[in-house]
Amino acid sequence: MVRLILPVAATLLVLIAVRWSQPDALRVDGFWPLALVAVVTALGSALTLGLSRVAFSRAAPWIRGFLSTAVAFVLLAAFTDEPGPATVVGGILVALALLFSLLRGGGHALRAEPFPPDVLGVARLAARFVVPAAWYLAAAEVVPGVQSAHRWPGVLLGGLVAGSTLVAGTALAWTRPWHACVTPVTVGGRVRAAYGGIGHVVGIGDPGAGEHLRTMGSGGVLADLSGLLPDPTPDRLRQFLDRLTPGVVRAACAIETPQGVLLASAGYGDAVHLWDPETGQAVHALAGHLGPVNALCAVPVGDTVLLASGGDDGRIRIWKPATGRQVRVVGPQARWVVRALCAVPVDGRILLAAGYADGTVRLWDPVDGRLVRHLGAQQGGVNAVCAVTVDGVTRLASAAGDGTVVLWDPDSGEHLGSFDDEAPRYALCTVEMDGEVLLAAAGDGIGVTLWDAASGTRRGSLGTESLLGLLTGSTGWIRSMCQVGAGDDSFLMLAGYHRAVEQIRLRPALRSLAEPEGAS
């Protein structure tokens, strides 16, 4: 309801300002006709944009980009006195975005989609400008007691909607983490680290050498359109400019297929992308979600490994990665978004554990889509889930925004205990070294907290520094982490607000920890 009331109120305020400053531009017989124009304009625009988003999201990403652009041009021509020049200018802008996106970085273009994310962004922004303007003109025609002598009030409304979207997207780009996910992936027989973040890009690096090996995806186009930057652009400057691209890779995971290992990535843009980590080439773009995708998970089912994805639309979709075909949809479309996924063995079968923004954890059967078990709630929403095996017994851990990490018995749904941190937790993983299994949790705080899942005692912390060090770019504000490698070449990889994916060599770090709290 708030999402409907706020646009109506904002539109009404703009129309009142127009009526007060330029009486000849908008003539009304009283307040209520003006209010009715605001209601028709705001609700009509919201419904049009919402329905088009749902309809186009069911199509392949490149079809969605084409249709969004076409509709924007049709509406632009409809409310413009001379549609020819406006359409030509719009076409040139989209063509430039497409050209620079495809040329930028050569192999870095998003080959899974003929239209890269930059074109989709241009189309969405154009639609947000044109739709409110068109609805205003329609409302001024049909509402009694209202006369609009000029088109510029509608243009002002459309500009405010599109401008606020652009400003909000830019602000979010500068406040989002540099890297939102990190996961191990096998490349050339060696375990590497794959990470994704701002700018629709996915990287692969070698933790042992501390080197970035390959980039996949498509970075921002805004800097290229300026034509003022040196060629080649310095990497540090490019990283800052890529943050202006309205998108972030929120999740990544590796999947075993008969053809080899594939790397899945997803986030802003609704599609799930599959890459060949050996070559960096795109394999499939999986369309179906109606909003950003927040979580990915490999799910072994029989002799095959499927891919599960969940996001803001509340749905969990199961895919066959070898073909890119959707197998089934798990769970109803829910009000609360899916934030985390992981596979957990229960009674000899593999279930899919999903963490939701309402603070609950649900266990689903990926074979028939049935809800098996509903676990209790945590405050602040569940941001991460992972399976942890201690002494041959598998438990399920969930981390939430209230700073708690809860251990569950997935067989019975019993609450086994909790670990409490003061800061919100966003990242969770197991750490295994020399026969010891620890549970690592991190988020909006300094360092990584390690817990002994068997005894429930705190083992210690890694990466702790001063608050000043945190604010100037040390380990902190972590959004994802995982263990990569084994033995002396075992690393804890940390992705978050630092400009680089950080790594901690585990063996010396664990040896330096003090004895567990409570030990005699």
Side-chain angles (χ1 to χ4, degrees), residues 1-11 42-43 45-47 53 312 335-337:
M1 182 61 68
V2 174
R3 292 183 179 181
L4 296 179
I5 293 176
L6 288 180
V8 172
T11 303
L43 296 188
S45 301
L47 289 175
R53 178 168 174 261
D312 282 7
R335 176 184 177 186
W336 300 104
V337 305

Side-chain angles (χ1 to χ4, degrees), residues 170-182 195-198 236 239-240 243 248-250 383 423-427 442-448 467 469-481 493-503:
T170 303
L172 284 175
W174 287 100
T175 57
R176 285 171 175 166
W178 284 86
H179 300 92
C181 61
V182 60
Y195 35 85
I198 287 292
R236 181 58 60 87
Q239 286 180 338
F240 275 109
R243 291 178 64 85
V248 60
V249 177
R250 299 181 177 180
N383 299 317
R425 303 288 91 179
Y426 290 93
D444 284 351
I446 302 176
V448 179
L467 179 61
L470 170 68
L471 296 176
T472 56
S474 70
T475 303
W477 312 115
I478 297 167
R479 289 298 175 264
S480 178
M481 63 182 175
M493 309 300 297
L494 309 173
Y497 282 82
H498 197 275
R499 296 187 183 93
V501 176
E502 298 180 271
Q503 57 189 53

Side-chain angles (χ1 to χ4, degrees), residues 68-136:
S68 298
T69 306
V71 169
F73 282 166
V74 169
L75 293 175
L76 184 65
F79 93 96
T80 305
D81 291 328
E82 297 181 359
T87 304
V88 170
V89 171
I92 291 174
L93 290 176
V94 173
L96 285 174
L98 175 63
L99 176 62
F100 281 108
S101 293
L102 292 178
L103 293 180
R104 180 188 179 277
H108 294 180
L110 194 58
R111 302 300 181 185
E113 300 179 10
F115 287 90
D118 304 287
V119 174
L120 300 183
V122 170
R124 287 168 176 160
L125 196 63
R128 287 185 175 274
F129 169 77
V130 174
V131 169
W135 271 102
Y136 164 78

Side-chain angles (χ1 to χ4, degrees), residues 361-377:
V361 177
R362 295 176 174 87
L363 300 182
W364 302 91
D365 190 330
V367 176
D368 56 18
R370 181 174 56 90
L371 177 62
V372 177
R373 191 160 290 114
H374 181 283
L375 305 182

Side-chain angles (χ1 to χ4, degrees), residues 55-394:
F56 294 164
S57 292
R58 296 183 183 276
W62 70 271
I63 296 177
R64 185 168 71 250
F66 175 78
L67 291 177
S68 298
T69 306
V71 169
F73 282 166
V74 169
L75 293 175
L76 184 65
F79 93 96
T80 305
D81 291 328
E82 297 181 359
T87 304
V88 170
V89 171
I92 291 174
L93 290 176
V94 173
L96 285 174
L98 175 63
L99 176 62
F100 281 108
S101 293
L102 292 178
L103 293 180
R104 180 188 179 277
H108 294 180
L110 194 58
R111 302 300 181 185
E113 300 179 10
F115 287 90
D118 304 287
V119 174
L120 300 183
V122 170
R124 287 168 176 160
L125 196 63
R128 287 185 175 274
F129 169 77
V130 174
V131 169
W135 271 102
Y136 164 78
L137 295 177
E141 290 292 333
V142 301
V143 174
V146 177
Q147 289 184 341
S148 181
H150 302 284
R151 296 179 182 271
W152 72 263
V155 175
L156 174 63
L157 282 172
L160 289 176
V161 173
S164 62
T165 301
L166 183 60
V167 171
T170 303
L172 284 175
W174 287 100
T175 57
R176 285 171 175 166
W178 284 86
H179 300 92
C181 61
V182 60
T183 188
V185 61
T186 301
V187 181
R190 299 187 60 184
V191 180
R192 308 292 193 184
Y195 35 85
I198 287 292
H200 299 285
V201 294
V202 180
I204 295 180
D206 181 355
E211 295 180 355
H212 175 81
L213 302 178
R214 184 175 298 116
T215 299
M216 301 171 290
S218 175
V221 71
L222 299 180
D224 299 289
L225 288 176
S226 68
L228 301 176
L229 299 179
D231 188 18
T233 305
D235 291 340
R236 181 58 60 87
L237 177 59
R238 173 62 61 188
Q239 286 180 338
F240 275 109
L241 294 172
D242 277 350
R243 291 178 64 85
L244 294 177
T245 299
V248 60
V249 177
R250 299 181 177 180
C253 76
I255 316 105
E256 295 280 353
T257 71
Q259 292 76 31
V261 176
L262 295 180
L263 179 64
S265 68
Y268 180 92
D270 308 348
V272 178
H273 297 281
L274 294 179
W275 309 89
D276 182 347
E278 298 278 356
T279 64
Q281 295 298 311
V283 178
H284 295 294
L286 314 179
H289 281 283
L290 306 182
V293 180
N294 304 318
L296 296 172
C297 173
V299 185
V301 176
D303 296 331
T304 63
V305 179
L306 302 179
L307 173 67
S309 60
D312 282 7
D313 60 0
R315 295 289 185 91
I316 299 173
R317 299 181 182 272
I318 309 294
W319 312 86
K320 191 172 183 179
T323 62
R325 181 176 61 88
Q326 180 176 293
V327 178
R328 67 184 54 84
V329 178
V330 175
Q333 186 168 353
R335 176 184 177 186
W336 300 104
V337 305
V338 179
R339 289 183 177 175
L341 293 171
C342 80
V344 56
V346 178
D347 295 331
R349 56 179 173 166
I350 300 296
L351 297 183
L352 187 61
Y356 291 83
D358 64 348
T360 62
V361 177
R362 295 176 174 87
L363 300 182
W364 302 91
D365 190 330
V367 176
D368 56 18
R370 181 174 56 90
L371 177 62
V372 177
R373 191 160 290 114
H374 181 283
L375 305 182
Q378 295 173 258
Q379 298 296 320
V382 174
N383 299 317
V385 291
C386 80
V388 52
T389 302
V390 181
D391 298 330
V393 180
T394 299

Side-chain angles (χ1 to χ4, degrees), residues 418-450:
S418 63
F419 315 136
D420 192 8
D421 279 350
E422 295 181 356
R425 303 288 91 179
Y426 290 93
L428 197 63
C429 75
T430 57
V431 173
E432 301 183 22
M433 178 63 64
D434 299 330
E436 184 179 30
V437 179
L438 301 175
L439 188 62
D444 284 351
I446 302 176
V448 179
T449 305
L450 299 178

